[in-house]
């Protein structure tokens, strides 16, 4: 099938009908453009000599054509590729009067050729509309002859084009490569040609030619990654190919998994690589393998990269939750940045004096890069969080996070300034500052899972269970031990806040396991606090006691800094309340009064309110103020719970309604509507009265001649309609609904 554009079709018709005579034209086009098909069609024309593949003719044959053209009435249509161009062919073409121009198909002609509009767009994109390639799209082997005839120089050029290398890598082959029709006008290898290279050229020939290209590129000191990538898994050895794999791995820094494979190939090829390979593996999240590789280097006397290997091992250990051992390796590494990371780890494990010494080391020497400035500021901010003002510490860490953002994506970090800033913000009631930092860190691709979990933690404290659950799902299941600790803490916290005792019991097994595997450090107080409250709820506090004792010993070693102590005392307060230990609760409430500043005042006031509420002394205005204060520092669920529990414990109906409304508002729900029969049906009011009387579902069913399951259904509907967050809140709401409008009940 010949599908020509309109001008070319008119010219073809004029030749065939004899309207144009004598005919002396050339068809010069790359392979696959349909030159032979046009010549076969023109065979119907009278008095026209047709010559195909004129670029392959010898000088004698070309000389004979020149003599033929001496007759001015002689007709000739000659087809040739644009390269090669023998001198004799140039002379023949110079004696002709014009050219038949063959162009690639457009999309419409592609569809017509294929007889399918559905396939046309994909085939056009793959072939560039070159007719021969459109035909080969359904049968790739049609290109085998073209590739078999191409010499090694041409195939090398095509392989270089496939890798995106410029034409200067393979000198002098651009014309002949374009003449094959496999290369677009801009030098880009057409996708179908790339597929043909991979599938039709024998593997051994491909490997040999690619290796030659790599060696040529190494000599030019140009990038080798696109050329080396297809050689992975070929089992190549030798000094030069090993160096190429190593160079490609350095170029692939933004793709840790690929870099790790390239370093492994370089080692198998005979290169000695240690810390770089370990670092690439660590950046994939495989901390076990990274530790093994790094440890091999550290144990090798005289290895030039032992300090770097120690840094990698220390970083991997930080992700595994082994912060004390991580600090030792950072100290041993003894570089400027490692000293900064050591200061952070030492602070986190209660070794304050050593942390100060490491901080002094990290300030000395080395170029003032963004990394060095950011990690130095991070270490200083963490130390300030223990020894100085929380606001100053947070400000320092925020600046460090912003400083590191432009370069963070390619770094192997034990922790990020954004994550540490978020922790300080959460411990000081400034979650609103933490969120944008975490968002930007996620966008840059830095420690994405850690930042997602911390963002989910903020959502949980705010009472947004849906966002917290979504963040937990987004973090996935392939977690480092440190991330697993926070993920389990989130699951425990969400189950507790939903009053889902079944889910809490189910997740408690994981909580026990993660607590056994992850030592307590300063940066883990949030999940350990959740575990403490859950343990009290489940009667399991004794299991957690040794770990909580470690946490409090750590605080004591750091001088009991209020910023970090407050969260632990807050969870301890609630654990003591659940465990019915008023003396212990009072002790925690007293400790919460030690901090100075608005946040600590809010926490102390709330703790005092809790103690009064538990003793039956409910002051509605004070409770509401404390609850709203908790809401203001990001503890929205805690604020709503305080108001709700106070409502349950007051005998003043008006105070009950007010506090329930406060709890609902703090949970982001509508205040209670005016009480009356409109909210409950008659049957529901009967059920509600018996629920308030303390009867079981079975007893209520027996009274009302319905099943216990039906009673349960009625209670669930009432809870949903009223919007109660828990059973205790439901009971308080039902009392407000059913009791007469009096000052007390």
């Amino acid at each position: 099938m010949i599908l020509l554009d309109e001008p070319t079709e008119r010219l073809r018709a004029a030749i065939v009908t004899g309207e144009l005579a004598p005919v002396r034209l050339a068809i010069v086009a790359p392979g696959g453009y349909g030159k032979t098909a046009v010549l076969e069609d023109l065979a119907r024309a009278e008095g026209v000599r047709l010559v195909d593949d004129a670029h392959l003719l010898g000088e004698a044959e070309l000389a004979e054509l020149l003599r033929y053209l001496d007759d001015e009435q002689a007709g000739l249509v000659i087809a040739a590729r644009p390269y090669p161009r023998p001198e004799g062919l140039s002379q023949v073409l110079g004696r002709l009067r014009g050219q038949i121009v063959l162009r690639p198909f457009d999309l419409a002609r592609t569809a017509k050729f294929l007889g399918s509009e559905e396939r046309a767009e994909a085939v056009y994109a793959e072939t560039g509309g070159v007719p021969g390639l459109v035909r080969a799209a359904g049968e790739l082997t049609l290109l085998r002859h073209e590739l078999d005839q191409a010499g090694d120089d041409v195939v090398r050029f095509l392989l270089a084009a496939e890798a995106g290398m410029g034409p200067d890598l393979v000198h002098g082959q651009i014309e002949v490569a374009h003449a094959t029709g496999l290369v677009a006008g801009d030098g880009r290898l057409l996708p179908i040609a790339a597929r043909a290279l991979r599938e039709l050229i024998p593997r051994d020939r491909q490997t040999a030619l690619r290796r030659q290209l790599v060696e040529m590129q190494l000599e030019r000191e140009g990038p080798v990654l696109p050329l080396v990538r297809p050689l992975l898994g070929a089992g190549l050895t030798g000094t030069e190919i090993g160096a190429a794999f190593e160079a490609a791995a350095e170029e692939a820094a933004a793709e840790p998994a690929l870099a790790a494979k390239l370093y492994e190939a370089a080692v198998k090829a005979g290169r000695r690589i240690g810390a770089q390979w370990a670092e690439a593996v660590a950046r994939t999240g495989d901390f076990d393998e990274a530790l093994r590789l790094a440890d091999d280097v550290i144990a090798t006397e005289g290895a030039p990269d032992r300090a770097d290997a120690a840094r990698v091992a220390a970083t991997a250990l930080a992700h595994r939750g082994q912060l004390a051992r991580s600090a030792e390796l950072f100290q041993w590494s003894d570089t400027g940045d490692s000293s900064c990371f050591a200061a952070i780890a030492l602070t986190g494990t209660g070794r304050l004096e050593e942390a100060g010494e490491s901080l002094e080391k990290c300030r000395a020497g080395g170029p003032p890069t963004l990394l060095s400035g950011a990690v130095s500021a991070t270490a200083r901010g963490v130390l300030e969080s223990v020894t100085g003002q929380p606001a100053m510490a947070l400000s320092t860490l925020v600046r460090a996070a912003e400083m590191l953002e432009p370069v963070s994506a390619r770094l192997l970090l034990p922790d990020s300034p954004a994550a540490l800033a978020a922790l300080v913000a959460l411990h000081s009631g400034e979650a609103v500052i933490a969120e944008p930092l975490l968002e930007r860190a996620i966008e840059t691709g830095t420690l994405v899972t850690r930042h997602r979990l911390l963002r989910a933690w903020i959502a949980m404290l705010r009472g947004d269970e849906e966002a917290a659950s979504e963040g937990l799902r987004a973090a996935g299941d392939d977690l480092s031990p440190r991330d697993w600790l926070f993920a389990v803490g989130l699951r425990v916290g969400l189950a507790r806040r939903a009053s889902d005792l079944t889910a809490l019991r189910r997740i408690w097994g994981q909580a026990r396991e993660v607590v056994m595997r992850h030592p307590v450090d300063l940066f883990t107080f949030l999940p350990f606090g959740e575990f403490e409250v859950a343990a009290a709820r489940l009667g399991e506090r004794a299991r957690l006691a040794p770990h909580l004792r470690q946490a409090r010993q750590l605080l004591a070693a750091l001088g009991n800094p209020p910023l970090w102590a407050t969260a632990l005392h807050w969870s301890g307060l609630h654990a003591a309340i659940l465990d019915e230990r008023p003396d212990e609760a009072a002790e925690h409430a007293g400790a919460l009064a030690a901090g100075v500043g608005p946040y600590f005042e809010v926490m102390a006031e709330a703790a005092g309110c809790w103690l009064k509420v538990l003793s039956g002394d409910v002051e509605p205005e004070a409770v509401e103020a404390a609850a709203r204060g908790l809401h203001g520092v990001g503890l929205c669920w805690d604020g709503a719970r305080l108001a709700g529990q106070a409502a349950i414990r007051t005998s003043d109906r008006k105070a009950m309604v007010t506090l329930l409304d406060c709890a609902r508002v703090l949970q982001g729900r509508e205040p209670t509507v005016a009480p009356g029969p409109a909210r409950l049906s008659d049957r529901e009011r009967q059920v509600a009265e018996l629920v308030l009387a303390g009867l079981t579902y079975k007893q209520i069913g027996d009274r009302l001649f319905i099943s216990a399951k039906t009673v349960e259904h009625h209670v669930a509907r009432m809870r949903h309609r009223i919007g109660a967050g828990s059973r205790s809140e439901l009971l308080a709401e039902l009392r407000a609904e059913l009791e007469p409008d009096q000052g007390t009940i």
Side-chain angles (χ1 to χ4, degrees), residues 425-467:
L426 282 166
H427 281 269
S428 57
E430 297 285 3
V432 68
I433 293 176
E435 281 191 288
L437 282 179
L438 295 172
E439 291 287 352
R440 291 199 297 272
I442 292 168
E443 289 173 5
T444 63
T446 310
L447 299 183
V448 172
T449 299
R450 178 150 174 77
H451 296 137
R452 280 178 173 161
L453 290 170
L454 287 171
R455 187 177 61 178
W457 203 283
I458 293 171
M460 180 179 71
L461 295 181
R462 189 187 295 127
D464 189 347
E465 295 178 8
E466 184 177 346

Short mmCIF file of all heavy atoms in Angstrom, two decimals, residues 425-467:
data_model
loop_
_atom_site.label_atom_id
_atom_site.label_comp_id
_atom_site.label_asym_id
_atom_site.label_seq_id
_atom_site.Cartn_x
_atom_site.Cartn_y
_atom_site.Cartn_z
N ALA A 425 8.37 20.62 68.77
CA ALA A 425 7.10 21.35 68.66
C ALA A 425 5.97 20.59 69.36
O ALA A 425 5.15 21.18 70.07
CB ALA A 425 6.75 21.57 67.19
N LEU A 426 5.92 19.28 69.17
CA LEU A 426 4.88 18.48 69.82
C LEU A 426 5.03 18.49 71.34
O LEU A 426 4.04 18.44 72.07
CB LEU A 426 4.94 17.04 69.30
CG LEU A 426 4.33 16.81 67.91
CD1 LEU A 426 4.74 15.46 67.36
CD2 LEU A 426 2.82 16.93 67.97
N HIS A 427 6.25 18.54 71.80
CA HIS A 427 6.49 18.55 73.24
C HIS A 427 6.31 19.94 73.84
O HIS A 427 6.41 20.08 75.07
CB HIS A 427 7.92 18.05 73.53
CG HIS A 427 8.06 16.56 73.48
ND1 HIS A 427 7.91 15.75 74.57
CD2 HIS A 427 8.32 15.73 72.44
CE1 HIS A 427 8.09 14.49 74.22
NE2 HIS A 427 8.34 14.45 72.93
N SER A 428 6.07 20.95 73.01
CA SER A 428 5.91 22.30 73.55
C SER A 428 4.62 22.97 73.07
O SER A 428 4.48 24.18 73.15
CB SER A 428 7.12 23.16 73.17
OG SER A 428 7.30 23.20 71.76
N GLY A 429 3.70 22.16 72.53
CA GLY A 429 2.40 22.70 72.15
C GLY A 429 2.41 23.56 70.91
O GLY A 429 1.55 24.43 70.75
N GLU A 430 3.37 23.30 70.00
CA GLU A 430 3.49 24.12 68.79
C GLU A 430 3.33 23.27 67.53
O GLU A 430 4.09 23.42 66.57
CB GLU A 430 4.85 24.84 68.77
CG GLU A 430 5.06 25.82 69.91
CD GLU A 430 4.27 27.11 69.73
OE1 GLU A 430 3.50 27.21 68.75
OE2 GLU A 430 4.42 28.00 70.58
N ALA A 431 2.35 22.38 67.53
CA ALA A 431 2.16 21.48 66.38
C ALA A 431 1.93 22.25 65.10
O ALA A 431 2.28 21.79 64.01
CB ALA A 431 0.99 20.54 66.64
N VAL A 432 1.34 23.43 65.20
CA VAL A 432 1.07 24.22 64.01
C VAL A 432 2.36 24.61 63.28
O VAL A 432 2.36 24.83 62.07
CB VAL A 432 0.24 25.49 64.39
CG1 VAL A 432 1.08 26.46 65.21
CG2 VAL A 432 -0.30 26.17 63.14
N ILE A 433 3.46 24.69 64.02
CA ILE A 433 4.76 24.99 63.39
C ILE A 433 5.33 23.73 62.76
O ILE A 433 6.01 23.78 61.73
CB ILE A 433 5.73 25.56 64.45
CG1 ILE A 433 5.24 26.94 64.90
CG2 ILE A 433 7.15 25.65 63.91
CD1 ILE A 433 6.07 27.56 66.01
N ALA A 434 5.06 22.58 63.36
CA ALA A 434 5.63 21.33 62.87
C ALA A 434 5.05 20.90 61.54
O ALA A 434 5.78 20.39 60.68
CB ALA A 434 5.41 20.23 63.91
N GLU A 435 3.78 21.10 61.33
CA GLU A 435 3.12 20.55 60.13
C GLU A 435 3.73 21.01 58.81
O GLU A 435 4.04 20.19 57.96
CB GLU A 435 1.63 20.86 60.18
CG GLU A 435 0.87 19.92 61.09
CD GLU A 435 -0.63 20.06 60.93
OE1 GLU A 435 -1.17 21.07 61.38
OE2 GLU A 435 -1.24 19.15 60.34
N PRO A 436 3.92 22.33 58.59
CA PRO A 436 4.52 22.72 57.31
C PRO A 436 5.94 22.21 57.12
O PRO A 436 6.35 21.90 55.99
CB PRO A 436 4.48 24.26 57.35
CG PRO A 436 4.30 24.62 58.79
CD PRO A 436 3.53 23.49 59.40
N LEU A 437 6.70 22.10 58.20
CA LEU A 437 8.04 21.53 58.10
C LEU A 437 7.97 20.08 57.62
O LEU A 437 8.74 19.67 56.74
CB LEU A 437 8.74 21.57 59.46
CG LEU A 437 9.33 22.89 59.93
CD1 LEU A 437 9.94 22.71 61.31
CD2 LEU A 437 10.38 23.40 58.96
N LEU A 438 7.07 19.32 58.20
CA LEU A 438 6.92 17.92 57.81
C LEU A 438 6.43 17.79 56.37
O LEU A 438 6.88 16.92 55.62
CB LEU A 438 5.97 17.21 58.77
CG LEU A 438 6.45 17.10 60.22
CD1 LEU A 438 5.34 16.57 61.11
CD2 LEU A 438 7.67 16.20 60.31
N GLU A 439 5.51 18.65 55.98
CA GLU A 439 4.99 18.63 54.60
C GLU A 439 6.12 18.85 53.60
O GLU A 439 6.25 18.14 52.61
CB GLU A 439 3.93 19.72 54.42
CG GLU A 439 2.63 19.48 55.18
CD GLU A 439 1.79 18.37 54.57
OE1 GLU A 439 2.15 17.90 53.47
OE2 GLU A 439 0.79 17.99 55.18
N ARG A 440 6.95 19.86 53.87
CA ARG A 440 8.05 20.16 52.94
C ARG A 440 9.07 19.04 52.92
O ARG A 440 9.62 18.70 51.86
CB ARG A 440 8.71 21.49 53.30
CG ARG A 440 7.83 22.70 53.05
CD ARG A 440 8.66 23.98 52.97
NE ARG A 440 9.34 24.25 54.22
CZ ARG A 440 8.81 24.95 55.23
NH1 ARG A 440 7.58 25.42 55.13
NH2 ARG A 440 9.51 25.18 56.33
N ALA A 441 9.34 18.45 54.07
CA ALA A 441 10.29 17.34 54.12
C ALA A 441 9.77 16.15 53.31
O ALA A 441 10.55 15.48 52.62
CB ALA A 441 10.54 16.93 55.57
N ILE A 442 8.49 15.89 53.38
CA ILE A 442 7.90 14.80 52.59
C ILE A 442 8.04 15.10 51.11
O ILE A 442 8.36 14.22 50.30
CB ILE A 442 6.43 14.59 52.98
CG1 ILE A 442 6.34 14.03 54.41
CG2 ILE A 442 5.72 13.65 52.01
CD1 ILE A 442 4.95 14.04 55.01
N GLU A 443 7.79 16.34 50.72
CA GLU A 443 7.90 16.74 49.32
C GLU A 443 9.32 16.57 48.79
O GLU A 443 9.53 16.21 47.63
CB GLU A 443 7.46 18.19 49.14
CG GLU A 443 5.95 18.40 49.31
CD GLU A 443 5.57 19.86 49.31
OE1 GLU A 443 6.47 20.71 49.09
OE2 GLU A 443 4.38 20.17 49.54
N THR A 444 10.33 16.82 49.63
CA THR A 444 11.72 16.68 49.19
C THR A 444 12.16 15.23 49.14
O THR A 444 13.23 14.92 48.61
CB THR A 444 12.68 17.46 50.09
OG1 THR A 444 12.64 16.91 51.42
CG2 THR A 444 12.34 18.94 50.13
N GLY A 445 11.37 14.33 49.72
CA GLY A 445 11.72 12.92 49.70
C GLY A 445 12.66 12.50 50.81
O GLY A 445 13.28 11.43 50.74
N THR A 446 12.78 13.32 51.86
CA THR A 446 13.69 13.03 52.96
C THR A 446 12.97 12.26 54.07
O THR A 446 11.97 12.74 54.59
CB THR A 446 14.25 14.34 53.54
OG1 THR A 446 14.74 15.15 52.49
CG2 THR A 446 15.36 14.06 54.53
N LEU A 447 13.48 11.08 54.43
CA LEU A 447 12.91 10.29 55.53
C LEU A 447 11.38 10.36 55.50
O LEU A 447 10.73 10.68 56.49
CB LEU A 447 13.43 10.80 56.88
CG LEU A 447 14.96 10.73 57.11
CD1 LEU A 447 15.30 11.21 58.51
CD2 LEU A 447 15.49 9.34 56.89
N VAL A 448 10.82 10.05 54.36
CA VAL A 448 9.39 10.26 54.12
C VAL A 448 8.53 9.53 55.15
O VAL A 448 7.56 10.09 55.68
CB VAL A 448 9.02 9.83 52.69
CG1 VAL A 448 7.51 9.86 52.50
CG2 VAL A 448 9.69 10.75 51.67
N THR A 449 8.88 8.28 55.43
CA THR A 449 8.05 7.51 56.36
C THR A 449 8.05 8.14 57.75
O THR A 449 7.00 8.26 58.39
CB THR A 449 8.58 6.06 56.44
OG1 THR A 449 8.48 5.47 55.13
CG2 THR A 449 7.76 5.24 57.42
N ARG A 450 9.22 8.54 58.23
CA ARG A 450 9.29 9.16 59.57
C ARG A 450 8.43 10.42 59.62
O ARG A 450 7.68 10.65 60.56
CB ARG A 450 10.74 9.48 59.92
CG ARG A 450 10.90 10.19 61.29
CD ARG A 450 12.22 9.84 61.88
NE ARG A 450 12.55 10.54 63.11
CZ ARG A 450 12.04 10.25 64.32
NH1 ARG A 450 11.13 9.29 64.42
NH2 ARG A 450 12.44 10.90 65.39
N HIS A 451 8.54 11.23 58.59
CA HIS A 451 7.80 12.49 58.58
C HIS A 451 6.29 12.25 58.47
O HIS A 451 5.48 12.97 59.06
CB HIS A 451 8.30 13.38 57.45
CG HIS A 451 9.72 13.80 57.64
ND1 HIS A 451 10.64 13.81 56.61
CD2 HIS A 451 10.39 14.23 58.74
CE1 HIS A 451 11.81 14.22 57.08
NE2 HIS A 451 11.68 14.47 58.36
N ARG A 452 5.89 11.23 57.71
CA ARG A 452 4.46 10.90 57.61
C ARG A 452 3.91 10.44 58.96
O ARG A 452 2.78 10.80 59.34
CB ARG A 452 4.25 9.80 56.56
CG ARG A 452 4.25 10.32 55.13
CD ARG A 452 4.08 9.19 54.16
NE ARG A 452 3.92 9.70 52.80
CZ ARG A 452 4.11 8.97 51.70
NH1 ARG A 452 4.47 7.69 51.81
NH2 ARG A 452 3.94 9.50 50.50
N LEU A 453 4.68 9.66 59.67
CA LEU A 453 4.22 9.18 60.97
C LEU A 453 4.09 10.31 61.97
O LEU A 453 3.14 10.35 62.76
CB LEU A 453 5.18 8.10 61.48
CG LEU A 453 5.16 6.77 60.71
CD1 LEU A 453 6.31 5.87 61.15
CD2 LEU A 453 3.82 6.05 60.90
N LEU A 454 5.03 11.24 61.94
CA LEU A 454 4.94 12.38 62.85
C LEU A 454 3.75 13.28 62.49
O LEU A 454 3.06 13.81 63.37
CB LEU A 454 6.25 13.17 62.82
CG LEU A 454 7.42 12.49 63.53
CD1 LEU A 454 8.72 13.24 63.25
CD2 LEU A 454 7.18 12.38 65.03
N ARG A 455 3.51 13.43 61.20
CA ARG A 455 2.33 14.20 60.77
C ARG A 455 1.04 13.50 61.22
O ARG A 455 0.08 14.15 61.66
CB ARG A 455 2.35 14.38 59.26
CG ARG A 455 1.26 15.32 58.73
CD ARG A 455 1.38 15.50 57.23
NE ARG A 455 1.23 14.25 56.52
CZ ARG A 455 1.26 14.13 55.19
NH1 ARG A 455 1.47 15.21 54.46
NH2 ARG A 455 1.13 12.96 54.61
N ALA A 456 1.03 12.18 61.13
CA ALA A 456 -0.14 11.42 61.59
C ALA A 456 -0.30 11.57 63.11
O ALA A 456 -1.42 11.60 63.62
CB ALA A 456 0.01 9.95 61.22
N TRP A 457 0.81 11.65 63.81
CA TRP A 457 0.74 11.82 65.26
C TRP A 457 0.06 13.14 65.62
O TRP A 457 -0.77 13.20 66.52
CB TRP A 457 2.14 11.76 65.87
CG TRP A 457 2.13 11.38 67.31
CD1 TRP A 457 1.81 12.18 68.37
CD2 TRP A 457 2.40 10.08 67.86
NE1 TRP A 457 1.88 11.47 69.54
CE2 TRP A 457 2.23 10.18 69.25
CE3 TRP A 457 2.76 8.86 67.30
CZ2 TRP A 457 2.44 9.09 70.10
CZ3 TRP A 457 2.96 7.78 68.14
CH2 TRP A 457 2.79 7.90 69.52
N ILE A 458 0.41 14.19 64.89
CA ILE A 458 -0.24 15.49 65.12
C ILE A 458 -1.74 15.37 64.89
O ILE A 458 -2.54 15.89 65.67
CB ILE A 458 0.38 16.55 64.19
CG1 ILE A 458 1.84 16.82 64.57
CG2 ILE A 458 -0.42 17.85 64.24
CD1 ILE A 458 2.58 17.70 63.59
N ALA A 459 -2.13 14.68 63.81
CA ALA A 459 -3.55 14.50 63.51
C ALA A 459 -4.25 13.74 64.64
O ALA A 459 -5.38 14.07 65.02
CB ALA A 459 -3.71 13.76 62.19
N MET A 460 -3.58 12.73 65.19
CA MET A 460 -4.19 11.96 66.28
C MET A 460 -4.41 12.84 67.51
O MET A 460 -5.49 12.80 68.12
CB MET A 460 -3.30 10.78 66.64
CG MET A 460 -3.84 9.91 67.78
SD MET A 460 -2.78 8.51 68.18
CE MET A 460 -1.40 9.33 68.96
N LEU A 461 -3.42 13.63 67.88
CA LEU A 461 -3.57 14.50 69.04
C LEU A 461 -4.68 15.52 68.82
O LEU A 461 -5.36 15.93 69.75
CB LEU A 461 -2.25 15.22 69.32
CG LEU A 461 -1.06 14.33 69.73
CD1 LEU A 461 0.16 15.19 69.99
CD2 LEU A 461 -1.39 13.49 70.95
N ARG A 462 -4.84 15.92 67.56
CA ARG A 462 -5.88 16.90 67.23
C ARG A 462 -7.26 16.28 67.25
O ARG A 462 -8.28 16.98 67.24
CB ARG A 462 -5.58 17.51 65.86
CG ARG A 462 -6.46 18.69 65.48
CD ARG A 462 -6.24 19.12 64.06
NE ARG A 462 -4.89 19.62 63.86
CZ ARG A 462 -4.05 19.19 62.94
NH1 ARG A 462 -4.41 18.22 62.12
NH2 ARG A 462 -2.86 19.71 62.82
N GLY A 463 -7.31 14.96 67.25
CA GLY A 463 -8.60 14.27 67.23
C GLY A 463 -9.07 13.91 65.85
O GLY A 463 -10.19 13.43 65.67
N ASP A 464 -8.21 14.10 64.84
CA ASP A 464 -8.57 13.77 63.46
C ASP A 464 -8.13 12.33 63.19
O ASP A 464 -7.07 12.08 62.62
CB ASP A 464 -7.88 14.75 62.49
CG ASP A 464 -8.37 14.60 61.06
OD1 ASP A 464 -9.04 13.59 60.76
OD2 ASP A 464 -8.06 15.48 60.24
N GLU A 465 -8.96 11.39 63.60
CA GLU A 465 -8.59 9.98 63.50
C GLU A 465 -8.47 9.53 62.05
O GLU A 465 -7.64 8.68 61.72
CB GLU A 465 -9.62 9.13 64.24
CG GLU A 465 -9.65 9.38 65.74
CD GLU A 465 -10.70 8.56 66.45
OE1 GLU A 465 -11.30 7.70 65.79
OE2 GLU A 465 -10.91 8.80 67.64
N GLU A 466 -9.29 10.10 61.18
CA GLU A 466 -9.24 9.71 59.76
C GLU A 466 -7.89 10.06 59.15
O GLU A 466 -7.27 9.25 58.46
CB GLU A 466 -10.37 10.39 58.99
CG GLU A 466 -10.45 9.96 57.53
CD GLU A 466 -11.62 10.59 56.80
OE1 GLU A 466 -12.51 11.15 57.48
OE2 GLU A 466 -11.62 10.54 55.55
N ALA A 467 -7.42 11.31 59.38
CA ALA A 467 -6.13 11.74 58.83
C ALA A 467 -4.99 10.94 59.45
O ALA A 467 -4.02 10.56 58.77
CB ALA A 467 -5.91 13.23 59.07
#
